[in-house]
Amino acid sequence: MRRFISLVGAAALFVSLALPGVAQAEALAECSTGSSGSFNNDGFPDPVVGVPAANAVDVFYSRTGAPTRLTPAGLGQAGTQSDEFGAATYAFDVNGDYCYDLLIGSPGANGGAGRVTIVYGSPKGLVTSGVTVIESPDPSARFGSAFGWIHATTTSDSALLIGAPGYDDGAATDAGALYFYPLTSPGLGSASRVTQSSPGVDGDSTAGDNFGGVVADDLVGMPNKDVGAAADAGAVVKLVTTTGDPMTVRGISYTQNSPGVPGVAETGDHFGAALGVDYYAAVGVPGEDIGTKMDTGSVQVFRDADEELQVMQSIDQNTSGVPGANETGDRFGSAVVIGYFMARDDSIYQLWVGAPGENVGSIVDAGSITRIDLQADRRASSLTSGHGLPGKSEKGDQLGATLAGLRNYQIGADWEGTLSVLIGVPREDRGTAVDSGWVILADCWSWSKGLQPYSLNNKARTGEHYGQYLGRTLL
């Protein structure tokens, strides 16, 4: 049986929504300890890969085993490939039972209105019956394109965020919106819609902003935002919320023209195309031109304070200590992850940066990843296929096009709080399966073994671009 939730009164800022019960008492009795991103309560986060080309989502309960593939039909839904089932996924404990649940976005469903499916976790894994379906409140909104989470600055209140970058805000087509679902006990409370035109949010809604398309926790990236005459220069909004019913939200906007932020907002920079948050905040600027090097890319690093972003520095491949060099088309900053890593002689916050356009020797667009310490002496190293990572660098692989973090959180373990990283290689050809793609999981939780990367065990299928849509987890 499915549980359908419809948002009504979409013209209003605050929209009422009530989730039906989902047998909370029984679930709470079964799940005893929490681990971030674990759907079966075994203490280890479970990697997730969306495969919209196959209208599917793969869940890996084992580091080495084959995935469990979820499809709309298997969840009791009708669906077509145009739904883009799995274009965004998010591991999040919706019902408070300590087993993480899986939110699956289908932004193309219902003619582009969008849909979100919630599959609930249990001690035995995700339960394919009794899912909850949240339909989009608005036509053509692409509801379910991204997910995030925000907590109030003065209380323990928090909310789930669902992005709808295709939402038309008045005459501003595709201006975008976010829907806030406060966490209640248990489940989700009434939803409210926030746009750039909402009171307290910096800036204004303009056509093509796609607000809600790139989200990481309480940061919203708008890489297509025009800044003055600079088309697609990009912007990022830091959201701040206070307690209440409904929760009140304000937003602080940052661009490369903001005071203290390095650089200048320029056409095609795409500031905010990628976001990473964990004590620090990283903003990818893959379209940044540096000197004569077009689209070489950069990353802006901030300290993520409760109510603001505090400027730290801009990093590119010409920054002292960073391997490589700025080259046209590298697109350094296309993907970013920040987290706390435990590895051989290295327990520190690190920034991982994907550069899918990086040439490895004479191999064009093979792609690379750069690891940069954000404390101490800011050591940095480069990872490519065959050098620190499995596989072999090949033309057009685009290693590092996507990255996602998995929190290894188990109370009492010596690796508590450390991060592992999913690495997407969406253009990888595997045998005769052209553009089948693949995903590498880099575990970083052992002092003695250091970085432990290996390939996820999925079947190669032509044109799936496996790794283009990596599952995200509340960190």
Side-chain angles (χ1 to χ4, degrees):
M1 179 183 73
R2 291 180 293 167
R3 300 176 175 89
F4 285 92
I5 300 170
S6 297
L7 293 174
V8 295
L13 173 62
F14 299 111
V15 185
S16 178
L17 176 149
L19 277 171
V22 287
Q24 305 299 332
E26 180 180 352
L28 283 165
E30 291 183 314
C31 298
S32 57
T33 60
S35 180
S36 180
S38 175
F39 305 118
N40 58 2
N41 208 39
D42 67 355
F44 296 94
D46 301 319
V48 176
V49 180
V51 197
N55 220 29
V57 170
D58 283 352
V59 179
F60 291 83
Y61 293 110
S62 164
R63 288 295 199 267
T64 57
T68 296
R69 176 157 284 199
L70 304 177
T71 64
L75 300 176
Q77 302 179 35
T80 65
Q81 187 173 333
S82 63
D83 289 349
E84 301 173 60
F85 181 85
T89 59
Y90 195 53
F92 187 85
D93 185 5
V94 173
N95 53 13
D97 65 357
Y98 296 101
C99 288
Y100 269 58
D101 310 308
L102 181 61
L103 284 74
I104 302 174
S106 303
N110 298 323
R115 172 187 300 133
V116 171
T117 303
I118 304 175
V119 188
Y120 295 97
S122 77
K124 295 182 180 180
L126 293 167
V127 180
T128 57
S129 60
V131 303
T132 294
V133 176
I134 308 176
E135 299 288 0
S136 173
D138 297 290
S140 304
R142 295 190 60 78
F143 179 80
S145 290
F147 300 97
W149 175 81
I150 189 170
H151 66 88
T153 56
T154 56
T155 71
S156 60
D157 292 345
S158 60
L160 170 71
L161 310 179
I162 300 180
Y167 172 75
D168 297 339
D169 195 3
T173 58
D174 296 336
L178 274 173
Y179 287 85
F180 284 62
Y181 294 83
L183 270 69
T184 60
S185 182
L188 302 178
S190 299
S192 60
R193 184 178 63 221
V194 173
T195 71
Q196 292 178 90
S197 298
S198 296
V201 179
D202 284 351
D204 58 351
S205 294
T206 55
D209 283 349
N210 300 129
F211 180 80
V214 181
V215 183
D217 288 0
D218 56 3
L219 296 184
V220 185
M222 293 179 288
N224 300 327
K225 179 79 171 178
D226 298 344
V227 179
D232 298 338
V236 170
V237 173
K238 164 77 172 178
L239 298 171
V240 180
T241 186
T242 55
T243 189
D245 187 14
M247 298 175 75
T248 58
V249 179
R250 60 187 178 90
I252 307 165
S253 181
Y254 296 85
T255 73
Q256 290 190 100
N257 284 351
S258 297
V261 177
V264 177
E266 300 167 318
T267 295
D269 279 348
H270 298 296
F271 177 84
L275 299 171
V277 184
D278 188 355
Y279 186 78
Y280 299 96
V283 178
V285 197
E288 181 77 36
D289 300 337
I290 300 176
T292 61
K293 308 303 181 183
M294 311 296 289
D295 295 339
T296 187
S298 69
V299 176
Q300 302 277 9
V301 181
F302 301 82
R303 168 74 170 87
D304 184 27
D306 281 343
E307 298 191 18
E308 64 177 355
L309 296 179
Q310 299 171 351
V311 177
M312 290 182 60
Q313 75 169 117
S314 178
I315 297 175
D316 58 63
Q317 289 185 97
N318 278 356
T319 299
S320 177
V322 176
N326 291 334
E327 299 166 321
T328 293
D330 282 348
R331 300 194 64 79
F332 181 85
S334 291
V336 293
V337 161
I338 281 182
Y340 190 75
F341 292 87
M342 181 183 290
R344 189 173 300 165
D345 81 351
D346 187 17
S347 179
I348 201 166
Y349 276 97
Q350 283 186 344
L351 166 67
W352 288 43
V353 183
E358 179 79 24
N359 298 339
V360 178
S362 61
I363 306 171
V364 177
D365 293 345
S368 70
I369 293 166
T370 303
R371 303 168 65 192
I372 305 166
D373 290 352
L374 292 178
Q375 298 163 295
D377 58 2
R378 292 187 181 253
R379 294 171 297 174
S381 60
S382 180
L383 301 172
T384 60
S385 296
H387 294 275
L389 296 175
K392 176 183 178 182
S393 290
E394 297 173 320
K395 180 179 179 180
D397 280 351
Q398 297 183 18
L399 171 82
T402 55
L403 297 170
L406 294 174
R407 175 80 76 201
N408 301 305
Y409 184 81
Q410 191 174 48
I411 296 173
D414 60 2
W415 39 264
E416 177 184 348
T418 61
L419 208 68
S420 295
V421 180
L422 290 173
I423 302 168
V425 196
R427 295 285 180 175
E428 173 78 19
D429 298 340
R430 295 166 62 188
T432 59
V434 177
D435 288 343
S436 56
W438 74 337
V439 174
I440 299 167
L441 175 61
D443 275 334
C444 311
W445 59 29
S446 170
W447 281 100
S448 60
K449 296 181 180 179
L451 184 68
Q452 301 174 76
Y454 46 89
S455 303
L456 294 185
N457 183 20
N458 73 294
K459 181 179 179 180
R461 297 176 175 90
T462 296
E464 275 197 348
H465 300 296
Y466 207 77
Q468 187 65 50
Y469 303 94
L470 300 177
R472 297 191 174 274
T473 302
L474 170 62
L475 299 178

